[in-house]
């Protein structure tokens, strides 16, 4: 069978265009996946920073509530007002210091009043769509 060469001249051009379109489509999808991975890692880092900042705020609240060399609790900070202890000069993505709130709860048990303290620390890192909030809550009991 004899093939006419003049009828097959555009075949290579069409195949080249098809291959370029397919490679371009695959490249765009790979770029979308990489962008999604970058956003996920960025949010994980901000979430970890916010978690540690909230943890530090809760520890600060416990130190304020139970000062060293003092027996019993200093419940003057447990009035439900949010406090913002300065944690660090370099926050690396966290815009504000944690918000620490302490509440005192008195429970009567066997004609005895037991003092419980709830310390809630909230930290926010990032802005806009990438904003991450972490809350840590600590309960303490005063022992006399």
């Amino acid at each position: 069978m004899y093939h006419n060469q003049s009828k097959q001249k555009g075949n290579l051009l069409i195949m080249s265009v098809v291959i370029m379109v397919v490679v371009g489509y695959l490249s765009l999808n790979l770029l979308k996946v990489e962008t999604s991975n970058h956003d996920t890692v960025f949010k994980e880092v901000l979430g970890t920073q916010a978690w540690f900042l909230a943890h530090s705020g809760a520890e600060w609240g416990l130190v304020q509530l139970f000062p060293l060399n003092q027996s019993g609790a200093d419940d003057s900070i447990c009035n439900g007002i949010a406090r913002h202890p300065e944690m660090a000069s370099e926050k690396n993505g966290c815009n504000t210091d944690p918000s620490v709130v302490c509440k005192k709860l008195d429970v009567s048990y066997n004609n005895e009043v037991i003092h419980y303290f709830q310390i809630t620390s909230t930290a926010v890192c990032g802005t806009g769509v990438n904003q991450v909030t972490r809350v840590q809550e600590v309960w303490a009991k005063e022992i006399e």
Side-chain angles (χ1 to χ4, degrees):
M1 187 167 180
Y2 178 72
H3 295 287
N4 188 354
Q5 293 290 332
S6 63
K7 291 184 180 181
Q8 296 182 7
K9 282 187 177 179
N11 245 358
L12 187 60
L13 181 62
I14 292 173
M15 289 301 289
S16 298
V17 170
V18 168
I19 289 173
M20 286 175 50
V21 168
V22 169
V23 169
Y25 178 74
L26 291 174
S27 298
L28 283 176
N29 283 334
L30 185 61
L31 182 65
K32 286 179 186 178
V33 168
E34 186 61 32
T35 302
S36 175
N37 286 342
H38 180 267
D39 288 346
T40 301
V41 169
F42 184 66
K43 286 181 182 178
E44 282 183 25
V45 169
L46 284 177
T48 302
Q49 288 176 342
W51 187 89
F52 279 115
L53 191 59
H55 185 76
S56 296
E59 287 183 348
W60 177 88
L62 285 172
V63 169
Q64 299 301 310
L65 183 61
F66 298 106
L68 292 175
N69 301 324
Q70 179 179 328
S71 63
D74 179 11
D75 61 356
S76 62
I77 70 159
C78 291
N79 53 10
I81 297 174
R83 300 177 191 279
H84 301 278
E86 188 172 331
M87 290 289 144
S89 59
E90 183 71 29
K91 293 183 182 60
N92 294 327
C94 298
N95 304 332
T96 60
D97 290 311
S99 172
V100 181
V101 177
C102 180
K103 295 177 185 173
K104 180 179 178 182
L105 293 102
D106 295 330
V107 177
S108 295
Y109 181 73
N110 289 339
N111 296 328
E112 188 178 335
V113 176
I114 302 171
H115 304 290
Y116 289 97
F117 304 97
Q118 176 190 18
I119 297 173
T120 306
S121 177
T122 306
V124 178
C125 293
T127 57
V129 177
N130 293 322
Q131 188 173 26
V132 178
T133 303
R134 295 291 183 263
V135 178
Q136 288 205 5
E137 187 176 276
V138 177
W139 285 83
K141 175 182 171 185
E142 183 175 27
I143 299 174
E144 297 176 9

